[in-house]
Amino acid sequence: MGASRRHPYQTPELPRLPTCYHWDMCSDTAVSVLEGEVGRLSCPLFCHPSIHNYTSDHKLVWHHLPEGHDLEQPIVFSLPIALSCRNRSSCIKMATRLKVPRPDEVVQSVDCAPPVATAADDVVIPLQEGKMLDCPDLQEAANMADSEPTYCQPYPFWNNNREQIGARLQIHIMYTFYQGWYYCTVSYQKRGQSLKFTRKLNCNAASSLAVPTSTSKEPSILLHPNKVGLFDSVSDLEVRLVCRALFPYLDSSWEMWWTVDGKTLDKLPDHHRFNRTIRLLSNQDGERTEESVLLIKHFQSEDLNREINCSAQNQRGSDTRRAELREEASLPSVELSCGLGMTLVLLLLLFIVYHVFWLELLLLYRSWFSTDERHSDDKEYDVYISYARNSEEEQFVLTTLRSILENELGYSVCIFDRDSLPGGTITDETLSFVARSRRLLVVVSPGYASLGSQALLELKAGIDAMALGGHLRVILIQYKPVQRQGWVRELQRARVALALVRWQGDKSKELTSRFWKRLRVELPVRSVDNKMSDRKHSHGCFHD
């Protein structure tokens, strides 16, 4: 077969070399060049500290690797590409990325400004002072050009404080309103071809120089990390250490870096686990606050014992802070979740139990901690029953209320119609019975107030005794429903403040029903075991 035709820009074929060690992509040297303009690429091998000590006999070969391809191709600069350079003698490769955006893809800070793909250079000029501005990369273009480059600033200057002198921009006196973006476009001839590039400057006014020169201009570390949380499995844990530094204004360079065990990140045996980023947080009057983040992949417990430092330096001095890492014990998430769940379930069960059995719990509490009122007062009777004098309610009072209160619960019950002596004065005896009782049970029904004044007299006496002395409590038992207009004034007043226990017919007959439990809560504390000892009081309220 005949010899293949070689591309005019293709380098001569190299003899076959051993497998090269690939240093991957160098993000620090990425270049962005606007389509149709000139750009410059530097081989990142010589900027890498680990192979910085190269000899002069090294020969470099450039290769083009388009995006989405695996094979190197002849160099074509019209599309976004990645370039790798090969060190001929030691066979080391490193790639740098070249991006070529179109003019309409570039976002401009000013609408009328020319499109610029490269990053802006920051320039700081002290207020009331001057400085000469050079267009970035101008000197390099001058060295490569066949003719003198021309400098173009898109905005004319209408005063003597700023003027263009040749290819440079002179600012004689700096004011705050001169801050902003400055653009320069350079055109030149190279081998008979017209070339150009556009750059921009971010110009800021610095008032901090008005401070006396004795003021410290050394950088200072503002924020450094001091703890790391470790979990049971740390093989895939990533730890972010954040360091912030303040750089006072100086017309000189500055830098931030991390060291681990006294070595920079690129010189560590496990350097692939460490990655750092730097970003500008603020730039006010020339004072810069920058943040550097160190990302440690696959963090291990052994890393806690390593010395990790964050450093900042400028022309005046430096500052270094150590990241004092200490382990934080992880919370047992499963145990914590189970414990929290059990606590919530227990609280829910307690709420349900109390909502359903609150009467039983209250009665149990009273039986344990309450004092028998018979030992603290001089009353003779536990209960006085007031009711309407008709056959139905009288039957309910005598056969149900009296029977259970006396025979089952052991209370002494006084009923006027049953226990009063003939020939006495009704009013005097009624007031006497009520005054000598601990509770007044008022059986409320539609006919309570309409069938005579005896029931109203008992109710009024009980309410007055309760209001004045506090030694008597009135309990309302609703035997039958009563319409609101059927409540007399005394009952309406009593209903607001007094307990109301509703009788519900057959559902309330059993001693275990809600009616009797609710009534026992309002009655004096009495043990069923005392029932027989009070049998002599249960046959009536006769008096001497």
Side-chain angles (χ1 to χ4, degrees):
M1 297 179 63
S4 61
R5 188 174 181 180
R6 195 172 61 210
H7 192 277
Y9 294 106
Q10 186 175 4
T11 57
E13 279 192 22
L14 295 174
R16 185 176 298 275
L17 296 175
T19 303
C20 289
Y21 183 78
H22 202 317
W23 283 84
D24 204 358
M25 184 73 65
C26 183
S27 60
D28 294 339
T29 60
V31 177
S32 181
V33 179
L34 195 67
E35 186 178 36
E37 292 195 351
V38 176
R40 177 178 179 270
L41 292 174
S42 297
C43 181
L45 282 173
F46 300 140
C47 70
H48 199 281
S50 296
I51 52 176
H52 196 283
N53 296 324
Y54 60 92
T55 59
S56 60
D57 61 348
H58 282 202
K59 294 183 179 180
L60 300 176
V61 179
W62 288 88
H63 298 272
H64 170 209
L65 185 62
E67 291 186 353
H69 293 73
D70 297 328
L71 298 178
E72 297 171 349
Q73 300 179 8
I75 298 175
V76 178
F77 292 100
S78 59
L79 296 174
I81 59 176
L83 296 174
S84 64
C85 53
R86 184 189 303 254
N87 184 300
R88 187 182 181 91
S89 60
S90 57
C91 194
I92 300 175
K93 297 175 62 178
M94 179 174 287
T96 185
R97 180 165 296 278
L98 170 63
K99 295 182 180 180
V100 186
R102 297 192 304 271
D104 57 351
E105 295 177 340
V106 178
V107 178
Q108 295 299 307
S109 56
V110 181
D111 293 338
C112 59
V116 180
T118 57
D121 287 5
D122 291 326
V123 178
V124 180
I125 305 176
L127 288 172
Q128 302 298 322
E129 296 187 19
K131 189 171 186 177
M132 184 74 76
L133 302 183
D134 291 311
C135 185
D137 301 330
L138 177 61
Q139 186 61 41
E140 184 175 344
N143 295 333
M144 296 187 301
D146 296 334
S147 59
E148 183 71 20
T150 58
Y151 175 92
C152 174
Q153 220 291 332
Y155 304 111
F157 304 110
W158 301 104
N159 54 60
N160 296 326
N161 292 327
R162 295 180 294 183
E163 63 174 330
Q164 182 175 334
I165 303 176
R168 311 178 76 185
L169 176 63
Q170 175 69 57
I171 298 181
H172 297 285
I173 301 177
M174 184 63 183
Y175 297 100
T176 56
F177 48 84
Y178 286 172
Q179 297 184 120
W181 301 103
Y182 288 79
Y183 299 84
C184 61
T185 300
V186 176
S187 301
Y188 62 96
Q189 295 289 326
K190 178 69 175 178
R191 297 179 182 177
Q193 185 179 4
S194 296
L195 304 175
K196 73 169 185 176
F197 62 84
T198 303
R199 299 291 185 264
K200 65 179 178 179
L201 301 172
N202 182 19
C203 190
N204 295 283
S207 62
S208 59
L209 282 187
V211 181
T213 56
S214 60
T215 303
S216 175
K217 294 290 186 177
E218 297 181 358
S220 58
I221 303 294
L222 303 178
L223 174 67
H224 62 284
N226 58 4
K227 61 183 177 181
V228 173
L230 295 182
F231 301 90
D232 295 336
S233 176
V234 296
S235 58
D236 295 327
L237 180 65
E238 290 187 349
V239 172
R240 296 176 72 254
L241 304 181
V242 181
C243 179
R244 293 179 185 172
L246 174 65
F247 295 92
Y249 172 76
L250 276 178
D251 190 9
S252 64
S253 61
W254 62 89
E255 61 178 333
M256 289 183 66
W257 71 93
W258 291 86
T259 58
V260 179
D261 296 333
K263 300 179 181 179
T264 56
L265 303 182
D266 50 273
K267 294 182 179 180
L268 295 174
D270 53 347
H271 64 89
H272 60 278
R273 294 177 50 220
F274 298 85
N275 184 30
R276 72 174 181 93
T277 58
I278 297 180
R279 68 188 183 101
L280 177 65
L281 297 181
S282 65
N283 185 2
Q284 297 181 352
D285 297 334
E287 284 195 344
R288 301 172 60 91
T289 301
E290 296 190 356
E291 178 183 85
S292 179
V293 177
L294 177 63
L295 179 63
I296 306 177
K297 301 178 181 179
H298 310 298
F299 193 88
Q300 304 293 336
S301 301
E302 294 77 9
D303 291 329
L304 291 172
N305 300 321
R306 306 183 74 169
E307 182 180 353
I308 302 177
N309 293 321
C310 174
S311 301
Q313 183 179 17
N314 63 7
Q315 191 179 35
R316 291 291 183 88
S318 62
D319 189 15
T320 299
R321 294 291 181 90
R322 180 175 180 177
E324 300 176 357
L325 304 183
R326 59 177 182 269
E327 184 176 359
E328 281 188 333
S330 60
L331 294 176
S333 56
V334 176
E335 293 81 354
L336 183 63
S337 300
C338 293
L340 181 60
M342 291 297 295
T343 302
L344 293 177
V345 171
L346 182 60
L347 291 176
L348 180 61
L349 290 177
L350 290 177
F351 175 77
I352 295 175
V353 169
Y354 178 78
H355 183 72
V356 176
F357 301 103
W358 70 276
L359 285 174
E360 290 80 356
L361 295 175
L362 187 54
L363 289 173
L364 184 63
Y365 175 83
R366 280 162 50 90
S367 64
W368 284 354
F369 300 104
S370 297
T371 304
D372 195 329
E373 296 182 25
R374 293 173 300 175
H375 306 313
S376 59
D377 59 27
D378 55 354
K379 302 289 185 177
E380 299 182 26
Y381 317 109
D382 292 321
V383 179
Y384 182 90
I385 302 178
S386 173
Y387 59 97
R389 270 57 177 181
N390 59 47
S391 58
E392 183 179 0
E393 293 189 19
E394 186 172 7
Q395 181 71 17
F396 167 70
V397 169
L398 295 178
T399 60
T400 301
L401 282 180
R402 181 202 60 81
S403 177
I404 294 179
L405 289 175
E406 289 182 345
N407 301 325
E408 301 295 336
L409 301 179
Y411 290 105
S412 58
V413 180
C414 183
I415 301 176
F416 185 88
D417 294 333
R418 185 198 65 173
D419 300 318
S420 61
L421 295 176
T425 304
I426 296 177
T427 302
D428 294 340
E429 289 192 357
T430 299
L431 296 177
S432 176
F433 291 156
V434 171
R436 288 148 52 191
S437 301
R438 298 184 178 90
R439 301 290 187 274
L440 172 63
L441 296 185
V442 178
V443 181
V444 181
S445 64
Y448 179 79
S450 61
L451 298 179
S453 59
Q454 175 70 21
L456 290 178
L457 176 62
E458 296 166 343
L459 175 62
K460 188 176 184 305
I463 294 176
D464 292 343
M466 183 175 178
L468 294 176
H471 302 295
L472 175 69
R473 291 177 56 186
V474 180
I475 305 171
L476 303 180
I477 296 178
Q478 183 174 298
Y479 178 60
K480 288 184 178 182
V482 181
Q483 299 295 328
R484 179 176 296 273
Q485 58 270 18
W487 291 75
V488 295
R489 183 179 58 184
E490 289 79 1
L491 283 176
Q492 289 178 354
R493 291 164 50 194
R495 175 66 182 90
V496 176
L498 302 180
L500 178 66
V501 185
R502 290 182 174 85
W503 174 262
Q504 296 180 338
D506 294 338
K507 291 175 57 177
S508 302
K509 288 184 178 181
E510 295 294 333
L511 189 60
T512 57
S513 67
R514 186 177 181 83
F515 171 81
W516 289 109
K517 293 177 182 178
R518 182 71 179 85
L519 184 60
R520 287 175 58 192
V521 170
E522 303 297 333
L523 292 174
V525 176
R526 181 61 52 84
S527 174
V528 179
D529 297 336
N530 296 328
K531 177 179 63 176
M532 297 306 297
S533 62
D534 296 332
R535 187 67 73 172
K536 62 180 179 179
H537 298 288
S538 64
H539 297 294
C541 46
F542 298 102
H543 58 282
D544 296 336

